[in-house]
Amino acid sequence: MSLLDYMQAKKLLDKYKIRSVESKYVGSADDAWRFSAGKKIVLKLLSEKALHKTKAGLVKLGLAEEKEVRSAYDDLTKKGTKLKPYKILAQKMAEDGVEIIIGGNTDKQFGKVLLVGLGGIYVETFKDVQLRLCPITKADAEEMLSELESKDVITYGGRAEQEVVSLLLKVSKLLTDEKKIEQLDLNPVIVHPDSYEAVDIRVLT
Amino acid sequence: MNKRADLTPMMKPRSVAIIGASRDPHKVGNVILQNYISAGFPGKLYPVNLNSDEVLGLKAYKSVLDIDDSVDLAVIAIPAPAVPGALEQCGKAKVKSAVVVSGGFAEIGETGLQDKIAGIAKKYSIALVGPNCLGVMDMRSKVDTLFLPTKKLSKPKVGFVSFVSQSGAVGSTVLDVIAGEGIGLSKFISYGNAAYIDETDILEYLMGDPETKVIVLYIEGIKRGREFVELARKLGRSKPVIVLKAGRTSAGMAAAQSHTASLAGNYAVQEAIFKQFGFIVANDLSELLYYAKIFASEMRPKGNRVGVITNGGGAGVIAADEIGSSKYLQMADYSAATKKSLRKIMPALVNIKNPLDLAGDADSRRYMDAMNALGSDPEVDMLLVIILYQTPGADPGVTREVVQKKITLSKPLLVVSVGTEYTQRQAKLLEEGGVPVYDSPISAVSSLEALFKYTEFKKRIATG
């Protein structure tokens, strides 16, 4: 299996109308500063040699000032000398919300499987996830959420439920239609009371 | 139904050949033949034995080919290396189905031998169950290939629950308990190594079987994933399936590439599929039986509101706690009319609330009044009746009232009763009367929850 390029993965999500944060590869500190246009951004170094970006200090969050953006960019290029080839991805900083994980996997016996659960750093701790075989129905999506211990947290007590349900249906459709996709991790997707956006995307083909 | 899935000749045979029917009472083949005879199997029995002309008073044949009749089912109980030859003869004799109880195949690494018999079954279109299995039992046609001494195993009564078990040992244990719990059985199929007929075939057959209303399933693995999924999609809509899947702790997946991969191991996926298609997932053998009992009673709730009747305050509180902490159930709030009529008929010491504590001196009359009131209350969907027989008023009269009420009541009703000899005698009478009995409020509530969830699933698919 091989990792799909980030921007290609993002395009794939676009095709299924799955929202993800605005992102762009940047080739210089100037580039990065222009992208920010005065808004908070994130810079990430992407390299196949670095699986855990956060642990390796390859994710720079909440960059607002020009000085911060430039020094973060320079620091990443320095770290990158050992991780070539690499790319630097600039993303608009998502607003705070509830982090969830949405995933897809291919089971050898049964085929494409969809997963949803409390995301971010809680994934491994609570393992509060639900799985279903693709394609799922709307009722399946609703039941997946109902069976999560963290349902009320994820849906803001039900307010964001229809948003998340429609997101699950879209991801299920993507997994079902795109035969070449073996695995997919949207972790985290940030859920707001009236919207969501995928912040990190990993697609394996 | 695909041809290999038609198990009718196996479950309803007019004629059965027992290959390896020995004169030696210690041999499996002898036990099987003896069981057929003592069960009063109404069809033809043909012992096949190389060395004798007569077994247990029946004419014996050297080969199935010598039998001058068409054979619906061959039960094969001979050493593994001789099985392919015997099966080949069955094929030539146009035997329709076969149960190979003999072990010594894939379970000890003899996969070649197993492939061989699967190939013969396929070649001659013999519906073959086994090898390495207990075989099949049909309570109505009196087919019973189980080689278990009948005196060590209680026989279940005839009913509508069919039980499918990959494992023979789990199968015979559960069968014994099913009998003890008064659950009515339709069919039992232990399919062992599944060389040819596998779980998907068996479930397909039971889906179309009018004598099966509830399916209880113990499996260790699924052989044909996609086919199983296709069937499960239809089966879940058609009949309740209570499943216990072993292999929960199959670790591994440690070096998985993503979070999703590590959280979506094969066991988790199978459990998800069961849920998706409305199967009722049991976590252990006791749950499997708890659920089987409530589903066998064939009552389905209209909603999730439980009315609790008790003659012990503490037990009532435990049940109320359990219902209160359930994600799916809630304590019923009686209608004004019910409250009024209860206040009128109940003694002053009985508080009119839920749980309805009838007090330690509650007798059959008080139980009857309480069950009548809650039974006709539209605000109550299910009745959980706690009877502590240790109290002075609780006697066989209460047992009779509950059994009576169960007959006319259109809501699920179950009893929680905890105790030893006296209690167990009453519990048995209740179960014989079709009332499921539980030994703790916790198992009772979890069973009501499973019943409610299944009813909701059925509603959901009915409305699209």
Side-chain angles (χ1 to χ4, degrees):
Chain A
M1 277 188 284
S2 64
L3 185 68
L4 194 64
D5 168 77
Y6 189 90
M7 290 307 287
Q8 274 182 301
K10 181 173 161 42
K11 259 193 204 138
L12 186 67
L13 297 192
D14 291 345
K15 182 177 160 193
Y16 289 88
K17 301 198 162 50
I18 298 163
R19 290 193 296 275
S20 55
V21 290
E22 193 186 336
S23 306
K24 184 179 183 282
Y25 288 130
V26 288
S28 68
D30 283 344
D31 226 5
W33 174 236
R34 264 197 304 278
F35 175 79
S36 103
K39 296 229 172 76
K40 274 193 188 175
I41 63 161
V42 181
L43 289 178
K44 291 176 181 172
L45 185 144
L46 307 183
S47 162
E48 289 195 16
K49 287 176 190 153
L51 266 180
H52 297 285
K53 292 192 289 283
T54 312
K55 280 184 205 154
L58 302 176
V59 178
K60 307 282 187 184
L61 294 167
L63 311 170
E65 309 286 325
E66 181 169 2
K67 218 168 51 191
E68 287 177 318
V69 173
R70 289 187 183 279
S71 86
Y73 185 89
D74 292 342
D75 186 49
L76 287 180
T77 51
K78 217 173 287 166
K79 284 183 172 133
T81 48
K82 284 182 210 149
L83 300 166
K84 278 181 184 167
Y86 68 85
K87 283 177 181 167
I88 291 177
L89 182 74
Q91 293 183 305
K92 290 276 155 67
M93 181 89 182
E95 279 179 44
D96 280 351
V98 181
E99 295 191 357
I100 67 169
I101 176 174
I102 293 186
N105 194 35
T106 308
D107 184 86
K108 276 201 291 277
Q109 252 195 316
F110 302 105
K112 294 282 174 64
V113 177
L114 177 72
L115 170 144
V116 63
L118 196 59
I121 54 169
Y122 300 113
V123 179
E124 291 296 331
T125 314
F126 295 120
K127 293 195 170 61
D128 183 22
V129 297
Q130 284 292 321
L131 301 167
R132 291 294 182 275
L133 208 61
C134 294
I136 59 161
T137 62
K138 185 160 180 278
D140 288 330
E142 286 165 354
E143 198 190 46
M144 286 174 94
L145 294 180
S146 295
E147 293 203 357
L148 287 174
E149 299 297 329
S150 51
K151 181 194 175 182
D152 284 345
V153 178
I154 287 176
T155 63
Y156 294 85
R159 273 201 288 164
E161 181 166 350
Q162 285 318 308
E163 273 293 302
V164 181
V165 163
S166 100
L167 170 60
L168 289 173
L169 287 167
K170 286 175 190 168
V171 178
S172 162
K173 182 161 171 47
L174 183 156
L175 290 167
T176 310
D177 292 354
E178 304 291 332
K179 309 280 182 230
K180 283 187 202 147
I181 306 290
E182 292 279 337
Q183 280 181 23
L184 171 128
D185 254 6
L186 307 180
N187 185 26
V189 174
I190 309 243
V191 179
H192 309 293
D194 53 357
S195 69
Y196 70 86
E197 51 195 338
V199 169
D200 205 1
I201 312 168
R202 274 172 62 81
V203 175
L204 293 169
T205 55
Chain B
M1 191 183 299
N2 76 60
K3 198 175 172 201
R4 64 188 230 154
D6 186 14
L7 300 181
T8 310
M10 178 177 293
M11 306 310 294
K12 308 285 178 199
R14 286 170 301 108
S15 51
V16 178
I18 291 157
I19 302 175
S22 163
R23 295 174 74 119
D24 177 353
H26 296 102
K27 290 273 170 68
V28 167
N30 179 285
V31 176
I32 294 173
L33 181 60
Q34 186 61 63
N35 283 353
Y36 266 94
I37 295 168
S38 29
F41 174 68
K44 293 264 169 41
L45 283 173
Y46 299 111
V48 175
N49 182 323
L50 277 178
N51 311 311
S52 334
D53 296 330
E54 179 257 295
V55 181
L56 294 171
L58 293 167
K59 180 183 177 208
Y61 299 78
K62 298 265 180 276
S63 152
V64 277
L65 287 164
D66 300 337
I67 301 169
D68 192 21
D69 186 7
S70 76
V71 174
D72 287 337
L73 167 64
V75 184
I76 303 180
I78 53 179
V83 172
L87 198 61
E88 188 76 40
Q89 291 180 348
C90 288
K92 288 188 177 131
K94 298 200 164 52
V95 173
K96 296 186 187 78
S97 67
V99 170
V100 180
V101 300
S102 323
F105 294 86
E107 81 280 7
I108 58 156
E110 295 285 348
T111 48
L113 198 58
Q114 184 159 318
D115 291 345
K116 202 165 172 184
I117 62 168
I120 298 168
K122 196 168 174 201
K123 182 170 142 198
Y124 292 103
S125 293
I126 305 171
L128 177 130
V129 166
N132 186 35
C133 70
L134 273 180
V136 300
M137 194 162 136
D138 183 313
M139 297 298 292
R140 289 181 178 79
S141 72
K142 298 195 162 69
V143 161
D144 179 357
T145 73
L146 276 57
F147 47 93
L148 301 167
T150 40
K151 61 173 183 278
K152 289 172 88 174
L153 188 78
S154 310
K155 261 255 155 86
K157 64 179 188 193
V158 181
F160 291 94
V161 175
S162 284
F163 173 41
V164 181
S165 174
Q166 187 164 4
S167 150
V170 169
S172 52
T173 309
V174 172
L175 212 52
D176 195 16
V177 181
I178 279 180
E181 304 261 354
I183 300 172
L185 188 76
S186 175
K187 296 176 175 69
F188 168 64
I189 303 174
S190 140
Y191 60 97
N193 297 2
Y196 189 57
I197 295 286
D198 61 23
E199 59 283 339
T200 305
D201 296 313
I202 296 166
L203 292 174
E204 186 177 354
Y205 170 73
L206 293 178
M207 183 167 73
D209 174 29
E211 293 167 0
T212 298
K213 291 185 182 164
V214 178
I215 298 171
V216 176
L217 176 64
Y218 171 85
I219 48 173
E220 286 160 9
I222 292 168
K223 276 193 108 177
R224 294 173 293 144
R226 306 294 166 116
E227 289 87 345
F228 181 86
V229 167
E230 281 323 300
L231 180 77
R233 203 184 293 279
K234 290 180 266 171
L235 180 60
R237 289 159 179 262
S238 114
K239 292 176 185 182
V241 182
I242 301 155
V243 60
L244 174 60
K245 164 84 173 61
R248 173 187 287 270
T249 57
S250 72
M253 305 298 283
Q257 290 233 28
S258 68
H259 282 304
T260 304
S262 72
L263 293 164
N266 195 253
Y267 177 84
V269 173
Q270 289 178 28
E271 199 179 6
I273 291 170
F274 294 149
K275 279 194 212 155
Q276 193 164 357
F277 301 129
F279 289 22
I280 300 104
V281 179
N283 291 308
D284 57 33
L285 278 177
S286 338
E287 264 189 23
L288 192 74
L289 286 157
Y290 294 149
Y291 296 165
K293 251 202 268 201
I294 191 107
F295 279 90
S297 77
E298 287 184 51
M299 282 297 168
R300 304 291 179 255
K302 288 208 172 64
N304 68 344
R305 300 161 302 177
V306 187
V308 179
I309 297 170
T310 182
N311 62 346
V317 174
I318 295 172
D321 276 349
E322 211 45 37
I323 294 164
S325 57
S326 158
K327 266 165 93 174
Y328 301 93
L329 304 179
Q330 55 172 325
M331 290 291 282
D333 187 9
Y334 311 142
S335 71
T338 301
K339 283 180 192 158
K340 210 170 141 194
S341 86
L342 278 172
R343 186 63 287 156
K344 222 153 87 191
I345 41 179
M346 288 294 154
L349 78 155
V350 173
N351 249 328
I352 309 304
K353 58 185 184 57
N354 192 11
L356 189 63
D357 184 354
L358 303 179
D361 62 344
D363 57 5
S364 57
R365 182 61 206 247
R366 212 177 290 167
Y367 266 99
M368 184 185 78
D369 289 341
M371 286 186 299
N372 283 341
L374 301 195
S376 59
D377 186 340
E379 304 292 319
V380 178
D381 301 310
M382 301 178 247
L383 292 187
L384 191 158
V385 181
I386 300 169
I387 310 169
L388 303 174
Y389 281 101
Q390 295 83 356
T391 57
D395 59 9
V398 173
T399 307
R400 274 195 296 276
E401 286 302 336
V402 175
V403 170
Q404 274 305 314
K405 187 69 204 170
K406 164 80 191 160
I407 296 168
T408 52
L409 189 68
S410 60
K411 301 172 185 178
L413 177 152
L414 55 71
V415 164
V416 173
S417 199
V418 191
T420 54
E421 272 175 54
Y422 186 90
T423 297
Q424 279 160 17
R425 267 203 308 279
Q426 299 308 314
K428 202 159 172 58
L429 291 170
L430 284 165
E431 292 194 317
E432 280 166 7
V435 180
V437 181
Y438 292 82
D439 57 7
S440 87
I442 294 169
S443 56
V445 171
S446 109
S447 302
L448 287 177
E449 188 178 282
L451 191 67
F452 171 72
K453 277 173 75 176
Y454 179 74
T455 314
E456 285 295 291
F457 171 80
K458 289 280 279 190
K459 255 193 236 163
R460 224 175 61 202
I461 53 171
T463 57

